[in-house]
Amino acid sequence: MQVNHTKKLVSNLKRATVIRGKWNGTKYHVIHKLGEGACGVVYLCERNGIETALKLGTDSARITTEVNVLKSFQRVQGKRLGPSLLDVDDWVTPGGITLPFYVMEYVKGQELATFLHGKGSEWLGVLLLQLLMDLGNLHESGWVFGDLKTDNLLVTSPPPRLRLIDVGGTTQIGRAIKEYTEFYDRGYWLKGSRKAEPSYDLFAVTMIMLEVGGRGRFERGSDPRQTLERKLQQATALKPFTPLINNVWAGNYQNGLEMREDLVNLLQRRPEPKKRNMPVSTRTSRRKKTKKTSFATFEIGAIFVSVIIFYLIYMLFFL
Amino acid sequence: MKKGTLKQILLLTDGCSNQGEDPVAIAALANNQGITVNVIGIIDDDQSEQPEGLEEVEAIAMSGGGVSQIVYQQALSQTVQMVTKQAMTQTLQGVVNQELKQILGEKKTFEELPPDKRGEVMEVVEDLGETCDLEVLVLVDTSASMTPKLATVKDALFDLSLSLNARSGNNRFSIFSFPDKKAPIHKLMDWTPHLDGISKIFPKLASGGITPTGPAIKEAIYQFGKKGLFGSMKDASEPYEETGF
C-alpha cells in the first residue's frame, strides 16, 4: 500500500509544486510532466528562469545507478554522449517521504517519427549517421547504450540533430544489459545474447529503422527471424538500407563507427548513368572486390612477364 | 568483498493457496535460511489489475524478503527477469547496508548517505550483481487455471536464462511444479546452468485442482540444501553466502 501511494505521489505532481533539495537546497518549480520511465518520472521544471528536466524516483539505488552513468558521460562531455547532469539531491515531501531525484539539461525536440513524417528517406539516413556517431563514441569509451528505442530519441533543431535522452539502460561493455525493451532486444528476436556488446546497440538501430521506415512496432510471431525478414521486405522506404540492415543482422559490424562508414558510402553513392545501382559495399562484397583487384594485378603481371620472356627469346633467336 | 551465491525461489502462480501451512509464514522461514522468495502473480488478459486472491502474492514476497509483481501474461517474460534482477540488487544492497552500518555506525543506511557517496556504494552493488553466483529455484503453480498460461511461462523462463547468462557470474536453475499427487512438489528439471531443455519438460505437465503453496515453498527450501554443486553449504543464516575464492 505504502509503495503504491508513493508511486502515485511521484507521478501526479501538480504545476507549481516546489521541489527543494535536502542537501543542496536548490528549489525547482514543476511546470509539467515530460515522461514516465521504469524507475521514475521526468518533469519539466524551472530553476531561476532556466528550464530543466528533473527525474524523480522512488528507488534510491536505481536513481544512483543512472546518476553514475551520467557522471561518467560528463568526463567525455566534449563528445556529448547524453544530456548533461546538473544536480543530484533528495526531496522530503510535505508528507515526510524522502524521494531521490536528479536534474538534467532539458533537451527540447520532436519525436523521431514526427520529424520524419513527410520527409524523404535521405533524412532518415542523415539522422542515422548522427546516431551512429554518438553510439560509436559511446562504444569507444567502453559503454553500450542498451535500452535504445524511439522513446529515448529526440530531434532538436535547427539544424536537425538526433539526441539520446534516457541513459537508464547504459551498461559497461562485457556486462549483462541493464534494461531493455523487447521489440529492440536482439535476445527477444533470437539474434544473439543480452551481453553488452556494441553490436547489441546496432541491432536496436535496425529495429528503430524498421519501426519508423515501416508501420511501427510488431509482434515476433512463431518464427521471429522470418518475421524480421518479411517486415524488412515490406518496408519499401528501407529499400536503400536493406544491405546495411542485413549486415547488422549477420553480425558484420564490430561497432557503431564501422556501420556508419558503410552508411556514409551508401548515402554518398550517386546514381550511375547506365547500369542499375549495384548494392552497397557490403563487407563480403568488399572482400570479394579486393580479391578481384589482386587477381587482376596478378593477371597483368603474368602478361607482362610473358611478353618480356617472349621478347628475350626473340632477341636470343636473332642474335 | 568476496564472491558469493545468492539463492532465490521464484514462485509463479495465479491464485490463492488453499491447503496446508500459510505460505507467508513459510516464506519468512525461507528468508531466515538465506533464501529470497519472489512471487509473480499472473492474471488473464480480461481480468482487472487487482483481482481477489492475489493480495497473498505481495504478502509472500514481503515476508520472503523478495520482490512481487502482478502481470498480464504478455508482459511475463520481461517481468520475470526484472523481478529476479531487482531482488538480487535488493539482497546485495541489504548486505552492503549491513557493512555500512558496521563502518558508519548503527543508523547509517544507503538512503541516508549524501548523494555523492551513494554513487560509490552503488558501483560496488552493481559489481556484485554482475559477478556473484545465483541459484534460482522456479516453482510453478500448475493448478487447473494455470494450464492455458504454461506456454507463456515456458517462454518467460527461457528468456530469464538468456538474461542471467549474460552476466559474468555463474547461474543454476531448477524447476519444480506443484501440486503433485505424491509429494508437495514435483521436480521438472534438476539444477542446470541453462534452460535450453525446457521445451521438452513443459508439455508433460499435468494440472491438479488444489494450491498448497505453503508446503511447496517449504519443500523448495529443502531442495537448496540437497545439492552440493556450489562448494560448501554451510548453515547459511546470511542472505549472501560468502564462499571465498
Side-chain angles (χ1 to χ4, degrees):
Chain A
M1 259 345 265
Q2 181 64 37
V3 177
N4 275 339
H5 175 73
T6 316
K7 273 195 181 147
K8 253 182 208 158
L9 179 90
V10 166
S11 64
N12 289 312
L13 289 187
K14 294 212 170 61
R15 192 187 168 85
T17 306
V18 178
I19 297 177
R20 187 175 174 278
K22 168 181 159 185
W23 303 88
N24 300 335
T26 317
K27 279 183 191 168
Y28 299 90
H29 297 263
V30 173
I31 299 172
H32 62 81
K33 196 194 281 187
L34 286 171
E36 218 156 317
C39 80
V41 183
V42 183
Y43 287 97
L44 176 64
C45 286
E46 179 258 300
R47 174 178 74 172
N48 300 333
I50 296 163
E51 285 182 334
T52 56
L54 184 149
K55 185 160 189 176
L56 186 66
T58 48
D59 185 345
S60 185
R62 294 187 71 176
I63 289 284
T64 305
T65 307
E66 295 195 8
V67 168
N68 274 354
V69 173
L70 282 167
K71 271 191 184 157
S72 65
F73 284 179
Q74 222 70 348
R75 291 171 211 140
V76 271
Q77 195 52 241
K79 284 182 176 169
R80 196 151 75 167
L81 298 176
S84 45
L85 179 71
L86 304 174
D87 192 10
V88 188
D89 215 324
D90 289 334
W91 176 43
V92 183
T93 65
I97 305 164
T98 306
L99 299 169
F101 71 85
Y102 66 86
V103 185
M104 299 167 282
E105 146 204 24
Y106 172 47
V107 181
K108 198 174 189 173
Q110 272 179 305
E111 277 175 33
L112 181 60
T114 319
F115 176 84
L116 288 174
H117 186 75
K119 292 191 176 70
S121 73
E122 69 276 16
W123 269 111
L124 176 60
V126 168
L127 295 181
L128 282 174
L129 281 183
Q130 298 173 350
L131 177 61
L132 289 171
M133 179 59 104
D134 286 351
L135 288 176
N137 287 332
L138 195 65
H139 298 158
E140 286 205 325
S141 43
W143 296 90
V144 163
F145 192 82
D147 200 6
L148 190 59
K149 53 179 170 179
T150 45
D151 318 53
N152 287 342
L153 297 173
L154 277 182
V155 183
T156 58
S157 51
R161 177 80 173 84
L162 195 67
R163 298 275 312 263
L164 295 162
I165 50 165
D166 190 339
V167 301
T170 309
T171 311
Q172 282 172 48
I173 289 181
R175 295 197 160 185
I177 288 288
K178 221 181 278 170
E179 228 176 272
Y180 65 87
T181 305
E182 278 178 350
F183 179 76
Y184 306 89
D185 165 52
R186 67 177 181 189
Y188 176 78
W189 293 100
L190 309 181
K191 287 275 193 188
S193 75
R194 266 181 209 139
K195 230 183 198 356
E197 296 162 341
S199 52
Y200 185 89
D201 280 344
L202 302 186
F203 180 85
V205 171
T206 66
M207 294 312 288
I208 289 173
M209 293 170 83
L210 278 183
E211 183 186 353
V212 298
R215 291 189 186 152
R217 301 183 193 179
F218 45 88
E219 298 282 313
R220 66 175 165 178
S222 55
D223 188 342
R225 291 162 203 244
Q226 215 178 4
T227 308
L228 284 182
E229 302 291 340
R230 205 182 56 241
K231 288 288 175 181
L232 179 57
Q233 279 171 11
Q234 285 168 358
T236 42
L238 294 182
K239 207 149 199 189
F241 303 108
T242 307
L244 188 79
I245 293 176
N246 277 322
N247 266 336
V248 175
W249 289 354
N252 286 341
Y253 302 114
Q254 293 304 309
N255 61 52
L257 297 178
E258 276 185 25
M259 181 177 170
R260 187 176 186 274
E261 198 186 304
D262 266 10
L263 180 61
V264 169
N265 291 336
L266 185 147
L267 292 172
Q268 286 178 348
R269 199 159 30 86
R270 290 191 301 193
E272 284 165 32
K274 273 184 188 172
K275 280 184 198 165
R276 275 185 62 91
N277 285 347
M278 285 313 287
V280 213
S281 61
T282 60
R283 297 259 133 192
T284 37
S285 72
R286 189 184 289 167
R287 208 173 297 143
K288 266 183 212 154
K289 223 185 271 167
T290 24
K291 259 185 207 159
K292 225 184 253 169
T293 4
S294 61
F295 183 67
T297 332
F298 175 71
E299 260 183 342
I300 292 167
I303 293 169
F304 189 61
V305 168
S306 44
V307 165
I308 288 178
I309 292 172
F310 185 77
Y311 182 71
L312 284 174
I313 295 170
Y314 188 76
M315 291 290 283
L316 282 170
F317 189 76
F318 282 95
L319 266 172
Chain B
M1 202 170 292
K2 287 176 205 157
K3 208 170 158 218
T5 303
L6 291 185
K7 296 179 205 145
Q8 293 188 356
I9 290 174
L10 175 66
L11 172 65
L12 300 166
T13 180
D14 71 341
C16 198
S17 66
N18 54 20
Q19 202 182 54
E21 297 114 315
D22 182 355
V24 181
I26 305 297
L29 199 65
N31 195 21
N32 193 47
Q33 303 275 323
I35 301 164
T36 307
V37 184
N38 299 317
V39 194
I40 295 179
I42 311 166
I43 49 178
D44 291 321
D45 296 341
D46 51 0
Q47 264 176 302
S48 74
E49 264 186 70
Q50 293 295 338
E52 277 177 45
L54 280 173
E55 293 93 357
E56 198 185 64
V57 163
E58 200 181 331
I60 299 174
M62 234 178 197
S63 86
V67 177
S68 71
Q69 188 85 41
I70 290 171
V71 288
Y72 290 107
Q73 270 193 69
Q74 50 157 347
L76 190 62
S77 286
Q78 220 158 7
T79 307
V80 164
Q81 66 92 20
M82 201 189 72
V83 160
T84 308
K85 281 191 176 172
Q86 212 176 315
M88 285 173 73
T89 313
Q90 199 170 295
T91 311
L92 291 169
Q93 215 188 316
V95 178
V96 173
N97 261 342
Q98 287 284 328
E99 307 242 335
L100 280 179
K101 273 182 195 162
Q102 279 178 10
I103 301 166
L104 304 168
E106 199 45 47
K107 282 197 171 166
K108 282 277 182 189
T109 62
F110 181 72
E111 282 79 10
E112 288 154 52
L113 286 174
D116 281 359
K117 292 275 176 286
R118 277 178 220 163
E120 293 165 37
V121 176
M122 208 50 217
E123 267 172 34
V124 176
V125 173
E126 270 190 64
D127 278 348
L128 288 172
E130 174 70 23
T131 54
C132 73
D133 292 339
L134 175 71
E135 294 175 359
V136 183
L137 186 148
V138 183
L139 200 51
V140 187
D141 169 2
T142 51
S143 59
S145 58
M146 277 290 284
T147 313
K149 300 175 188 118
L150 290 178
T152 323
V153 169
K154 184 196 76 187
D155 287 348
L157 293 179
F158 180 75
D159 197 81
L160 175 70
S161 84
L162 192 68
S163 274
L164 293 177
N165 283 325
R167 301 182 320 122
S168 337
N170 294 313
N171 302 299
R172 296 271 166 180
F173 306 93
S174 68
I175 307 174
F176 289 80
S177 70
F178 73 102
D180 183 62
K181 276 176 193 140
K182 294 165 209 154
I185 54 178
H186 173 68
K187 189 200 293 176
L188 293 172
M189 199 171 222
D190 207 351
W191 294 98
T192 167
H194 296 280
L195 289 180
D196 297 344
I198 194 170
S199 303
K200 287 172 211 136
I201 56 153
F202 261 72
K204 285 189 249 164
L205 282 184
S207 312
I210 48 162
T211 314
T213 312
I217 298 177
K218 195 173 185 185
E219 187 59 29
I221 298 173
Y222 178 65
Q223 294 301 324
F224 279 95
K226 246 182 168 176
K227 45 105 207 131
L229 292 171
F230 262 138
S232 64
M233 291 295 300
K234 289 170 270 175
D235 282 338
S237 54
E238 279 179 59
Y240 188 74
E241 181 197 345
E242 295 189 350
T243 52
F245 285 109

